[in-house]
Amino acid sequence: MMTTLTIARPDDWHLHLRDGAMMRAVLPWTARDFARAIIMPNLVPPVVTGAQAAAYRDRILAALPDGMTFEPLMTLYLTEDTDADDVAAAHTSGLVKAVKLYPAGATTNSASGVTNFDAVRPVLERMAEIGLPLCVHGEVTDHDIDIFDREAVFIDRILDPIRRATPGLRVVMEHITTSDAVDYARAQDDTLGATITTHHMVINRNHILAGGIKPHYYCLPVAKREEHRLALRAAATSGEARFFLGTDSAPHTDANKFLPCGCAGCFTAPNTLPILAQVFEDEGALDRLEGFTSKHGPAFYGLPVNTQTLTLTKTAPDLPGHIDTDDGPVTVFDPGFDLTWSVS
């Protein structure tokens, strides 16, 4: 039985750090384990220009505790007023690694997102020219579409037409939740990648709803049926380079999770690696964990694999059930099973 596993230091290709007091509290939990992370731009107001991305990066680095090394990979929030020249300049400078597409109203702080997809076509065409990836929150927001079908409909109505109309555009399907998304990703060329979260490999919709509502399992995209969870686990542990880790770790205070209209998001930064080691071990795929966490993402984004390493040890981790912030306590995602791997 394997008792230690050393891998290249992982990266997180989808992360919410928030800002201010919340950011200062959650950042060390990511920086402890991850060398880099794609930082989501859905602040209030959103990060829509290169200057705003630079200022946000500076706030993140200023909040990093002494002795920790971490590189925030910045993104811009795509709106119908986004300036293609500003996007290109931010990319050329090395500041911005991707642009994020939120359909308006799809998730937390997405009100400024896109409604008219024709309006953003010039920006997408420029991104294809310069090789800047588009990260997509893949859900339609039409009220007549069931929430459990929104990802599959997005692929048919929006994502596939965008890719056909913009040859060469590099696209990341973020936090995929369905076998439909897995199948679509597998059918495409290497200009398309897909991130899979920790929590979507662990929970299905019964975990949220059966036996009472569990607010800390509520996320968007919402967890789906068990067949979809199993498809995600199979994809993540397959060794296929198109699939890589994006935790979508999204902290909210308990007070905001428990509101009558509670916030969506699972805070997984503290325990993602122990959970993933357990999942990959259960699937007989520990030898593929490094690819999923540390190699496939850099390959898609054209970045080097981290030279530092991280070691996991077969021992129960000592991790908090919640963290304290100046805004209030934040509950750490509970996978519902005992963890037997620790980050050394």
Side-chain angles (χ1 to χ4, degrees):
M1 179 183 295
M2 185 179 294
T3 58
T4 64
L5 178 64
T6 298
I7 60 176
R9 193 175 175 201
D11 300 306
D12 185 348
W13 299 98
H14 184 128
L15 177 68
H16 295 271
L17 284 178
R18 312 303 188 202
D19 212 345
M22 180 66 79
M23 179 180 70
R24 290 190 294 272
V26 303
L27 174 60
W29 290 102
T30 288
R32 183 193 62 167
D33 294 343
F34 295 92
R36 301 171 292 203
I38 286 282
I39 308 299
M40 290 296 103
N42 59 332
L43 304 182
V44 180
V47 179
V48 298
T49 68
Q52 291 168 340
Y56 187 26
R57 178 200 57 194
D58 291 346
R59 295 197 299 275
I60 294 169
L61 293 176
L64 190 65
D66 291 342
M68 283 190 157
T69 59
F70 174 72
E71 182 181 1
L73 306 175
M74 307 311 294
T75 64
L76 296 179
Y77 188 119
L78 183 64
T79 75
E80 292 167 23
D81 297 318
T82 292
D83 182 340
D85 290 337
D86 181 67
V87 170
H91 172 63
T92 299
S93 73
L95 170 67
V96 166
K97 303 302 183 186
V99 172
K100 180 61 183 277
L101 167 62
Y102 290 103
T107 188
T108 302
N109 299 340
S110 62
S112 300
V114 176
T115 300
N116 177 7
F117 290 90
D118 287 334
V120 299
R121 190 172 304 282
V123 178
L124 300 183
E125 290 173 350
R126 179 73 72 84
M127 290 170 59
E129 291 173 7
I130 64 179
L132 181 61
L134 177 71
C135 297
V136 297
H137 180 111
E139 293 185 288
V140 297
T141 56
D142 310 58
H143 294 299
D144 61 329
I145 304 299
D146 189 283
I147 191 170
F148 294 104
D149 297 329
R150 289 180 176 181
E151 183 172 274
V153 173
F154 179 89
I155 292 170
D156 290 339
R157 289 188 184 176
I158 298 174
L159 177 59
D160 197 59
I162 283 176
R163 295 188 68 244
R164 291 180 184 278
T166 321
L169 179 66
R170 299 183 66 76
V171 176
V172 180
M173 300 171 67
E174 296 196 303
H175 46 49
I176 61 173
T177 61
T178 61
S179 60
D180 308 78
V182 171
D183 292 344
Y184 181 80
R186 282 180 166 149
Q188 308 309 306
D189 61 22
D190 62 5
T191 61
L192 184 130
T195 60
I196 302 175
T197 76
T198 312
H199 54 281
H200 283 121
M201 282 189 270
V202 172
I203 62 171
N204 61 34
R205 64 189 191 182
N206 276 4
H207 290 91
I208 306 172
L209 299 171
I213 295 174
K214 314 296 192 308
H216 291 300
Y217 287 154
Y218 172 58
C219 54
L220 287 174
V222 69
K224 308 299 193 299
R225 293 179 181 271
E226 176 68 357
E227 66 194 72
H228 297 295
R229 185 185 74 88
L230 294 177
L232 297 175
R233 283 173 72 108
T237 60
S238 68
E240 295 173 61
R242 70 183 67 253
F243 300 114
F244 43 96
L245 175 64
T247 67
D248 195 17
S249 182
H252 294 284
T253 63
D254 289 352
N256 285 330
K257 291 293 288 183
F258 294 148
L259 287 171
C261 185
C263 294
C266 297
F267 179 52
T268 57
N271 58 4
T272 273
L273 291 181
I275 292 172
L276 289 179
Q278 194 68 52
V279 168
F280 275 68
E281 182 180 45
D282 291 346
E283 298 295 324
L286 270 175
D287 60 322
R288 297 172 182 167
L289 180 63
E290 183 179 47
F292 181 71
T293 62
S294 312
K295 292 186 174 181
H296 300 167
F300 185 87
Y301 278 91
L303 296 171
V305 173
N306 297 309
T307 56
Q308 292 178 310
T309 60
L310 177 146
T311 298
L312 290 150
T313 304
K314 188 71 171 178
T315 183
D318 182 15
L319 293 168
H322 77 277
I323 66 166
D324 293 318
T325 80
D326 290 345
D327 296 330
V330 175
T331 293
V332 177
F333 176 77
D334 178 2
F337 52 78
D338 291 336
L339 297 176
T340 62
W341 287 91
S342 298
V343 176
S344 299

